[in-house]
Coordinates of all heavy atoms in Angstrom, one line a residue:
M1 N 0.8 -1.2 0.0 CA 0.0 0.0 0.0 C 0.9 1.3 0.0 O 0.5 2.2 -0.6 CB -0.9 0.0 1.2 CG -2.0 -1.0 1.2 SD -3.1 -0.9 -0.3 CE -3.9 0.6 0.1
A2 N 2.0 1.2 0.7 CA 2.9 2.4 0.8 C 3.4 2.7 -0.6 O 3.5 3.8 -1.0 CB 4.0 2.2 1.8
A3 N 3.8 1.6 -1.4 CA 4.3 1.8 -2.7 C 3.3 2.5 -3.6 O 3.6 3.3 -4.4 CB 4.8 0.5 -3.3
F4 N 2.0 2.1 -3.4 CA 0.9 2.6 -4.3 C 0.6 4.1 -3.9 O 0.1 4.8 -4.7 CB -0.3 1.8 -4.1 CG -0.3 0.5 -4.8 CD1 -0.5 -0.7 -4.1 CD2 0.1 0.4 -6.2 CE1 -0.4 -1.9 -4.8 CE2 0.2 -0.8 -6.8 CZ -0.1 -2.0 -6.1
S5 N 1.0 4.5 -2.7 CA 0.7 5.9 -2.3 C 1.9 6.8 -2.7 O 1.8 8.0 -2.4 CB 0.5 6.0 -0.8 OG 1.8 5.8 -0.1
S6 N 2.9 6.3 -3.4 CA 4.0 7.1 -3.7 C 3.9 7.8 -5.1 O 4.8 7.9 -5.9 CB 5.3 6.3 -3.8 OG 5.5 5.8 -2.5
W7 N 2.7 8.4 -5.3 CA 2.5 9.1 -6.6 C 2.6 10.6 -6.3 O 2.8 11.0 -5.1 CB 1.2 8.8 -7.2 CG 0.0 9.1 -6.4 CD1 -0.6 10.3 -6.3 CD2 -0.7 8.2 -5.5 NE1 -1.7 10.2 -5.5 CE2 -1.7 9.0 -4.9 CE3 -0.5 6.9 -5.1 CZ2 -2.6 8.4 -4.0 CZ3 -1.4 6.4 -4.1 CH2 -2.4 7.1 -3.6
R8 N 2.4 11.4 -7.2 CA 2.5 12.8 -7.1 C 1.5 13.4 -6.0 O 0.3 13.0 -6.0 CB 2.1 13.5 -8.5 CG 2.2 14.9 -8.6 CD 2.0 15.4 -10.0 NE 0.7 15.1 -10.5 CZ -0.3 16.0 -10.5 NH1 -0.1 17.2 -10.2 NH2 -1.5 15.7 -11.0
V9 N 2.0 14.3 -5.2 CA 1.1 14.9 -4.2 C 0.3 16.0 -4.9 O 0.9 16.9 -5.5 CB 2.0 15.5 -3.1 CG1 1.1 16.3 -2.1 CG2 2.8 14.5 -2.4
F10 N -1.0 15.9 -4.8 CA -1.8 16.8 -5.6 C -3.0 17.4 -4.7 O -3.9 18.0 -5.3 CB -2.4 16.2 -6.8 CG -3.3 14.9 -6.5 CD1 -4.6 15.1 -6.2 CD2 -2.7 13.7 -6.5 CE1 -5.4 13.9 -5.9 CE2 -3.4 12.6 -6.2 CZ -4.8 12.7 -5.9
E11 N -3.0 17.2 -3.4 CA -4.0 17.7 -2.6 C -4.0 19.2 -2.7 O -3.0 19.9 -2.8 CB -3.8 17.3 -1.1 CG -4.1 15.9 -0.9 CD -2.9 15.0 -1.2 OE1 -1.8 15.5 -1.6 OE2 -3.0 13.8 -1.1
M12 N -5.2 19.8 -2.8 CA -5.3 21.2 -3.0 C -4.8 22.1 -1.9 O -4.2 23.2 -2.2 CB -6.8 21.6 -3.2 CG -7.4 21.0 -4.5 SD -9.0 21.6 -4.9 CE -8.7 23.3 -5.0
D13 N -4.8 21.7 -0.7 CA -4.4 22.5 0.5 C -2.9 22.2 0.9 O -2.5 22.8 1.9 CB -5.3 22.3 1.7 CG -6.6 22.9 1.5 OD1 -6.8 23.7 0.6 OD2 -7.5 22.5 2.3
V14 N -2.2 21.5 0.1 CA -0.8 21.2 0.5 C 0.1 22.4 0.6 O 0.8 22.6 1.5 CB -0.2 20.1 -0.4 CG1 0.2 20.7 -1.8 CG2 1.1 19.6 0.2
F15 N -0.1 23.4 -0.4 CA 0.7 24.6 -0.3 C 0.3 25.5 0.8 O 1.1 26.2 1.4 CB 0.7 25.3 -1.7 CG 1.3 24.4 -2.7 CD1 0.5 23.8 -3.7 CD2 2.7 24.1 -2.7 CE1 1.1 23.0 -4.7 CE2 3.2 23.3 -3.7 CZ 2.4 22.7 -4.7
W16 N -1.0 25.5 1.1 CA -1.5 26.3 2.2 C -0.9 25.7 3.5 O -0.5 26.5 4.4 CB -3.0 26.3 2.3 CG -3.5 27.2 3.3 CD1 -3.9 28.5 3.2 CD2 -3.8 26.8 4.7 NE1 -4.4 28.9 4.4 CE2 -4.3 27.9 5.3 CE3 -3.7 25.6 5.4 CZ2 -4.7 27.9 6.7 CZ3 -4.0 25.6 6.7 CH2 -4.6 26.7 7.3
A17 N -0.9 24.4 3.6 CA -0.4 23.7 4.8 C 1.1 24.0 5.0 O 1.6 24.2 6.1 CB -0.7 22.2 4.8
L18 N 1.8 24.0 3.9 CA 3.3 24.3 4.0 C 3.5 25.7 4.4 O 4.4 26.0 5.2 CB 3.9 24.0 2.6 CG 4.0 22.6 2.1 CD1 4.6 22.5 0.7 CD2 4.8 21.7 3.1
R19 N 2.7 26.6 3.9 CA 2.9 28.0 4.4 C 2.6 28.2 5.9 O 3.3 28.8 6.6 CB 2.0 28.9 3.5 CG 2.1 30.4 3.9 CD 1.3 31.3 3.1 NE 1.3 32.6 3.7 CZ 0.6 33.6 3.2 NH1 -0.3 33.4 2.3 NH2 0.7 34.8 3.8
A20 N 1.5 27.6 6.3 CA 1.1 27.6 7.7 C 2.2 27.0 8.6 O 2.6 27.5 9.6 CB -0.2 27.0 7.9
G21 N 2.7 25.8 8.1 CA 3.8 25.1 8.9 C 5.0 26.0 9.0 O 5.7 26.1 10.0
R22 N 5.4 26.6 7.8 CA 6.6 27.5 7.8 C 6.4 28.7 8.8 O 7.3 29.0 9.6 CB 6.8 28.1 6.4 CG 8.1 29.0 6.4 CD 8.3 29.5 5.0 NE 7.2 30.5 4.7 CZ 6.7 30.6 3.5 NH1 7.0 29.8 2.5 NH2 5.7 31.5 3.4
E23 N 5.2 29.2 8.9 CA 4.9 30.4 9.8 C 5.0 29.9 11.2 O 5.6 30.6 12.1 CB 3.5 31.0 9.5 CG 3.3 32.2 10.4 CD 2.0 32.9 10.0 OE1 1.7 33.0 8.8 OE2 1.2 33.2 10.9
I24 N 4.5 28.7 11.5 CA 4.5 28.2 12.9 C 6.0 27.9 13.3 O 6.4 28.3 14.4 CB 3.7 26.9 13.0 CG1 2.2 27.3 12.8 CG2 3.9 26.2 14.4 CD1 1.3 26.1 12.6
V25 N 6.8 27.3 12.4 CA 8.1 27.0 12.7 C 9.0 28.3 12.9 O 9.8 28.4 13.8 CB 8.8 26.1 11.7 CG1 10.3 26.0 11.8 CG2 8.1 24.7 11.7
T26 N 8.8 29.2 12.0 CA 9.6 30.4 12.1 C 9.2 31.4 13.2 O 10.1 32.0 13.8 CB 9.6 31.2 10.8 OG1 8.2 31.6 10.5 CG2 10.2 30.4 9.6
T27 N 8.0 31.4 13.6 CA 7.5 32.3 14.7 C 7.5 31.6 16.0 O 7.6 32.3 17.0 CB 6.1 32.9 14.4 OG1 5.2 31.9 14.4 CG2 6.1 33.7 13.1
G28 N 7.4 30.3 16.0 CA 7.4 29.6 17.3 C 6.1 29.6 18.0 O 6.0 29.2 19.1
S29 N 5.0 30.0 17.2 CA 3.7 30.0 17.8 C 2.6 29.7 16.8 O 2.9 29.9 15.6 CB 3.4 31.3 18.5 OG 3.3 32.4 17.5
V30 N 1.5 29.2 17.2 CA 0.4 28.9 16.3 C -0.4 30.2 16.1 O -0.8 30.8 17.1 CB -0.5 27.8 16.9 CG1 -1.7 27.5 16.0 CG2 0.3 26.5 17.1
P31 N -0.6 30.6 14.9 CA -1.4 31.8 14.7 C -2.8 31.7 15.2 O -3.5 30.6 15.0 CB -1.4 32.0 13.1 CG -0.9 30.8 12.6 CD -0.2 30.0 13.6
M32 N -3.3 32.7 15.8 CA -4.7 32.7 16.4 C -5.6 33.7 15.6 O -6.8 33.8 16.0 CB -4.7 33.0 17.8 CG -3.8 32.0 18.7 SD -4.4 30.4 18.6 CE -5.8 30.4 19.6
T33 N -5.1 34.4 14.7 CA -5.8 35.4 13.9 C -5.6 35.1 12.4 O -4.5 34.9 12.0 CB -5.4 36.8 14.2 OG1 -5.5 37.0 15.6 CG2 -6.2 37.8 13.5
E34 N -6.7 35.1 11.6 CA -6.6 34.9 10.2 C -6.0 36.2 9.6 O -6.4 37.3 9.7 CB -8.0 34.7 9.6 CG -8.0 34.6 8.1 CD -7.2 33.4 7.6 OE1 -7.5 32.3 8.0 OE2 -6.4 33.7 6.8
T35 N -4.9 36.0 8.9 CA -4.2 37.1 8.2 C -4.0 36.9 6.7 O -3.5 37.7 6.0 CB -2.8 37.3 8.8 OG1 -2.0 36.1 8.7 CG2 -2.9 37.7 10.3
W36 N -4.3 35.7 6.2 CA -4.1 35.4 4.8 C -5.3 35.6 3.9 O -5.2 35.8 2.7 CB -3.6 34.0 4.6 CG -2.4 33.6 5.4 CD1 -1.5 34.5 5.9 CD2 -2.0 32.4 5.8 NE1 -0.5 33.9 6.6 CE2 -0.8 32.5 6.5 CE3 -2.4 31.1 5.6 CZ2 -0.1 31.4 7.0 CZ3 -1.7 30.0 6.1 CH2 -0.5 30.2 6.8
S37 N -6.5 35.5 4.4 CA -7.7 35.6 3.6 C -8.2 37.0 3.5 O -8.1 37.8 4.4 CB -8.8 34.8 4.3 OG -8.5 33.4 4.4
Y38 N -8.7 37.3 2.3 CA -9.2 38.6 2.0 C -10.6 38.8 2.7 O -10.8 39.9 3.3 CB -9.4 38.8 0.5 CG -10.1 40.1 0.1 CD1 -9.4 41.3 0.2 CD2 -11.4 40.1 -0.3 CE1 -10.0 42.5 -0.1 CE2 -12.0 41.3 -0.7 CZ -11.3 42.5 -0.6 OH -11.9 43.6 -0.9
T39 N -11.4 37.8 2.8 CA -12.7 38.0 3.3 C -12.8 38.0 4.8 O -13.8 38.5 5.4 CB -13.7 36.9 2.7 OG1 -13.1 35.6 3.0 CG2 -13.8 37.1 1.2
V40 N -11.9 37.3 5.5 CA -12.0 37.2 7.0 C -10.8 37.6 7.7 O -10.4 37.2 8.8 CB -12.4 35.7 7.4 CG1 -13.8 35.4 7.0 CG2 -11.4 34.7 6.9
N41 N -10.0 38.5 7.0 CA -8.8 39.0 7.6 C -9.0 39.6 8.9 O -9.9 40.5 9.1 CB -8.2 40.0 6.6 CG -6.7 40.4 7.0 OD1 -6.2 39.8 7.9 ND2 -6.2 41.3 6.3
G42 N -8.2 39.2 9.9 CA -8.3 39.8 11.3 C -9.3 39.1 12.2 O -9.3 39.4 13.4
Q43 N -10.0 38.1 11.7 CA -11.0 37.3 12.5 C -10.2 36.3 13.3 O -9.2 35.8 12.9 CB -12.0 36.7 11.6 CG -12.9 37.7 10.8 CD -13.7 38.5 11.8 OE1 -14.3 38.0 12.7 NE2 -13.8 39.8 11.5
P44 N -10.8 35.9 14.4 CA -10.2 34.8 15.2 C -10.1 33.5 14.4 O -11.0 33.2 13.6 CB -11.1 34.6 16.4 CG -11.9 35.9 16.5 CD -12.0 36.4 15.1
W45 N -9.1 32.7 14.6 CA -8.9 31.5 13.8 C -8.3 30.4 14.7 O -7.3 30.6 15.4 CB -7.9 31.8 12.7 CG -7.5 30.6 11.9 CD1 -8.4 29.6 11.4 CD2 -6.2 30.2 11.4 NE1 -7.6 28.7 10.7 CE2 -6.3 29.0 10.7 CE3 -5.0 30.8 11.6 CZ2 -5.2 28.4 10.1 CZ3 -3.9 30.2 11.0 CH2 -4.0 29.0 10.3
L46 N -9.0 29.3 14.8 CA -8.5 28.2 15.6 C -7.9 27.1 14.6 O -8.6 26.5 13.9 CB -9.7 27.6 16.4 CG -9.4 26.3 17.2 CD1 -8.3 26.7 18.3 CD2 -10.6 25.8 17.8
N47 N -6.6 27.1 14.7 CA -5.9 26.1 13.8 C -5.8 24.8 14.5 O -4.9 24.6 15.3 CB -4.5 26.7 13.5 CG -3.8 25.8 12.5 OD1 -4.2 24.8 12.1 ND2 -2.6 26.3 12.0
T48 N -6.6 23.9 14.1 CA -6.6 22.5 14.7 C -5.7 21.6 14.0 O -5.5 20.4 14.5 CB -8.1 21.9 14.7 OG1 -8.5 21.9 13.3 CG2 -9.0 22.8 15.5
H49 N -5.1 22.0 12.9 CA -4.2 21.1 12.2 C -2.7 21.5 12.3 O -1.9 21.2 11.4 CB -4.6 21.1 10.7 CG -6.0 20.6 10.5 ND1 -6.4 19.3 10.6 CD2 -7.1 21.4 10.2 CE1 -7.7 19.3 10.3 NE2 -8.2 20.5 10.1
W50 N -2.4 22.2 13.3 CA -1.1 22.8 13.4 C 0.1 21.8 13.4 O 1.1 22.0 12.8 CB -0.9 23.7 14.6 CG -1.0 23.0 15.9 CD1 -2.2 22.8 16.6 CD2 0.0 22.4 16.6 NE1 -1.9 22.1 17.8 CE2 -0.5 21.8 17.8 CE3 1.4 22.3 16.4 CZ2 0.2 21.2 18.7 CZ3 2.2 21.6 17.4 CH2 1.6 21.1 18.5
L51 N -0.2 20.6 14.0 CA 0.9 19.6 14.1 C 1.1 19.0 12.7 O 2.3 18.8 12.3 CB 0.5 18.5 15.1 CG 1.6 17.5 15.3 CD1 2.9 18.1 15.8 CD2 1.1 16.5 16.4
T52 N 0.1 18.7 12.0 CA 0.2 18.2 10.6 C 0.9 19.2 9.7 O 1.8 18.8 8.9 CB -1.2 17.9 10.1 OG1 -1.9 17.0 10.9 CG2 -1.1 17.3 8.7
E53 N 0.6 20.4 9.9 CA 1.3 21.5 9.1 C 2.8 21.6 9.4 O 3.6 21.7 8.5 CB 0.6 22.8 9.3 CG -0.8 22.8 8.8 CD -1.7 23.9 9.3 OE1 -1.2 24.6 10.3 OE2 -2.9 24.0 8.9
V54 N 3.1 21.5 10.6 CA 4.5 21.5 11.0 C 5.3 20.3 10.5 O 6.4 20.4 9.9 CB 4.7 21.6 12.5 CG1 6.1 21.4 13.0 CG2 4.2 23.0 13.0
V55 N 4.7 19.1 10.6 CA 5.3 17.9 10.1 C 5.5 17.9 8.6 O 6.5 17.6 8.0 CB 4.6 16.6 10.5 CG1 5.1 15.4 9.8 CG2 4.6 16.5 12.0
A56 N 4.5 18.4 7.9 CA 4.5 18.5 6.4 C 5.6 19.5 6.0 O 6.4 19.3 5.1 CB 3.2 18.9 5.8
Y57 N 5.7 20.6 6.7 CA 6.7 21.7 6.4 C 8.1 21.1 6.6 O 9.0 21.3 5.8 CB 6.4 22.9 7.2 CG 7.6 23.9 7.0 CD1 7.8 24.6 5.8 CD2 8.5 24.1 8.0 CE1 8.9 25.4 5.6 CE2 9.6 25.0 7.8 CZ 9.7 25.6 6.6 OH 10.8 26.4 6.4
L58 N 8.3 20.4 7.7 CA 9.6 19.9 8.0 C 10.0 18.8 7.0 O 11.2 18.8 6.6 CB 9.7 19.3 9.4 CG 9.5 20.3 10.6 CD1 9.5 19.7 11.9 CD2 10.6 21.4 10.5
A59 N 9.1 18.0 6.5 CA 9.4 17.0 5.5 C 9.7 17.7 4.2 O 10.7 17.3 3.5 CB 8.2 16.1 5.3
Y60 N 9.0 18.8 3.9 CA 9.3 19.6 2.7 C 10.7 20.3 2.8 O 11.4 20.4 1.9 CB 8.2 20.6 2.4 CG 8.4 21.4 1.2 CD1 8.1 20.8 -0.1 CD2 8.8 22.7 1.2 CE1 8.3 21.6 -1.2 CE2 9.0 23.4 0.1 CZ 8.7 22.9 -1.1 OH 8.9 23.6 -2.3
A61 N 10.9 20.8 4.0 CA 12.2 21.6 4.2 C 13.4 20.6 4.1 O 14.5 21.0 3.6 CB 12.2 22.2 5.6
V62 N 13.2 19.4 4.5 CA 14.3 18.4 4.4 C 14.5 17.8 3.0 O 15.6 17.7 2.5 CB 14.1 17.3 5.5 CG1 15.1 16.1 5.3 CG2 14.3 17.8 6.9
G63 N 13.4 17.4 2.4 CA 13.4 16.7 1.2 C 12.7 17.3 0.0 O 12.6 16.6 -1.0
G64 N 12.2 18.5 0.1 CA 11.5 19.1 -1.0 C 10.2 18.3 -1.3 O 9.6 17.7 -0.4
Y65 N 9.8 18.4 -2.5 CA 8.6 17.7 -2.9 C 8.7 16.2 -2.7 O 7.7 15.6 -2.3 CB 8.4 18.0 -4.4 CG 7.0 17.6 -4.9 CD1 5.9 18.3 -4.6 CD2 6.9 16.5 -5.8 CE1 4.6 17.9 -5.1 CE2 5.7 16.1 -6.2 CZ 4.6 16.8 -5.9 OH 3.4 16.4 -6.3
A66 N 9.9 15.6 -2.9 CA 10.1 14.2 -2.7 C 9.9 13.9 -1.2 O 9.4 12.8 -0.9 CB 11.5 13.8 -3.2
G67 N 10.2 14.8 -0.4 CA 10.1 14.6 1.1 C 8.6 14.4 1.4 O 8.3 13.6 2.3
L68 N 7.7 15.1 0.8 CA 6.3 15.0 1.0 C 5.8 13.6 0.5 O 5.0 13.0 1.2 CB 5.5 16.1 0.3 CG 5.7 17.5 0.8 CD1 5.0 18.5 0.0 CD2 5.2 17.6 2.3
V69 N 6.3 13.2 -0.6 CA 5.9 11.9 -1.1 C 6.4 10.8 -0.2 O 5.6 9.8 0.1 CB 6.4 11.7 -2.6 CG1 6.2 10.3 -3.1 CG2 5.8 12.7 -3.5
V70 N 7.6 10.9 0.3 CA 8.1 9.9 1.2 C 7.4 9.9 2.5 O 7.1 8.8 3.1 CB 9.6 10.1 1.4 CG1 10.2 9.2 2.6 CG2 10.4 9.8 0.1
L71 N 7.0 11.1 3.0 CA 6.2 11.2 4.2 C 4.9 10.5 4.1 O 4.5 9.7 4.9 CB 6.0 12.6 4.6 CG 5.1 12.9 5.8 CD1 5.7 12.3 7.1 CD2 4.8 14.4 6.0
R72 N 4.2 10.7 3.0 CA 2.9 10.1 2.8 C 3.1 8.6 2.7 O 2.3 7.8 3.3 CB 2.3 10.6 1.5 CG 0.9 9.9 1.3 CD 0.1 10.5 0.2 NE 0.8 10.6 -1.1 CZ 0.3 11.3 -2.1 NH1 -0.8 11.8 -2.1 NH2 1.0 11.3 -3.2
A73 N 4.1 8.1 2.0 CA 4.3 6.6 1.8 C 4.6 6.0 3.2 O 4.1 5.0 3.6 CB 5.4 6.4 0.9
A74 N 5.4 6.7 4.0 CA 5.7 6.2 5.4 C 4.5 6.2 6.2 O 4.3 5.2 7.0 CB 6.8 7.1 6.0
L75 N 3.6 7.2 6.2 CA 2.4 7.2 7.0 C 1.4 6.1 6.5 O 0.8 5.5 7.4 CB 1.7 8.6 6.9 CG 2.4 9.7 7.6 CD1 1.8 11.0 7.2 CD2 2.5 9.5 9.0
V76 N 1.3 5.8 5.2 CA 0.5 4.7 4.8 C 1.1 3.4 5.2 O 0.3 2.5 5.7 CB 0.4 4.8 3.2 CG1 -0.3 3.5 2.7 CG2 -0.4 6.0 2.8
A77 N 2.4 3.3 5.1 CA 3.0 2.0 5.6 C 2.8 1.8 7.1 O 2.6 0.7 7.6 CB 4.5 2.0 5.3
L78 N 2.9 2.9 7.9 CA 2.7 2.8 9.3 C 1.3 2.4 9.6 O 1.0 1.7 10.5 CB 3.0 4.2 9.9 CG 3.2 4.2 11.4 CD1 4.6 3.6 11.8 CD2 3.0 5.6 11.9
W79 N 0.3 3.0 8.8 CA -1.1 2.7 9.1 C -1.4 1.2 8.8 O -2.0 0.5 9.5 CB -1.9 3.6 8.1 CG -3.4 3.3 8.2 CD1 -4.2 3.4 9.3 CD2 -4.2 2.9 7.2 NE1 -5.5 3.1 9.0 CE2 -5.5 2.8 7.7 CE3 -4.0 2.6 5.8 CZ2 -6.6 2.4 6.9 CZ3 -5.1 2.3 5.0 CH2 -6.3 2.1 5.6

């Protein structure tokens, strides 16, 4: 199953998650206010996926796009 999951990462929110993960790692805190959206800028935001975003960003920082593919394959193999 892990080998079958080693295709191109194409989830729509992957780049948003990488950006959020980068912000969390560089600032050392989870953002609590929406600052990226035009329609809800400045509104309170509860980021419930912060750990996933940090792990995805770290995999990307270490291995680039291939790091994301390897991470997904490892998670499927672990599952």
Side-chain angles (χ1 to χ4, degrees):
M1 290 302 291
F4 287 125
S5 72
S6 297
W7 63 86
R8 185 173 64 100
V9 176
F10 59 87
E11 288 83 3
M12 292 188 61
D13 287 342
V14 71
F15 297 108
W16 184 91
L18 291 176
R19 180 179 174 187
R22 182 182 68 219
E23 184 173 317
I24 293 168
V25 168
T26 57
T27 63
S29 65
V30 178
M32 301 301 283
T33 305
E34 176 61 59
T35 58
W36 303 340
S37 298
Y38 175 73
T39 56
V40 291
N41 192 5
Q43 296 295 317
W45 175 46
L46 178 61
N47 185 353
T48 57
H49 302 286
W50 66 270
L51 184 58
T52 303
E53 293 160 356
V54 168
V55 170
Y57 171 72
L58 293 175
Y60 182 77
V62 169
Y65 189 74
L68 292 175
V69 172
V70 169
L71 174 65
R72 178 171 54 187
L75 290 173
V76 170
L78 194 79
W79 176 60

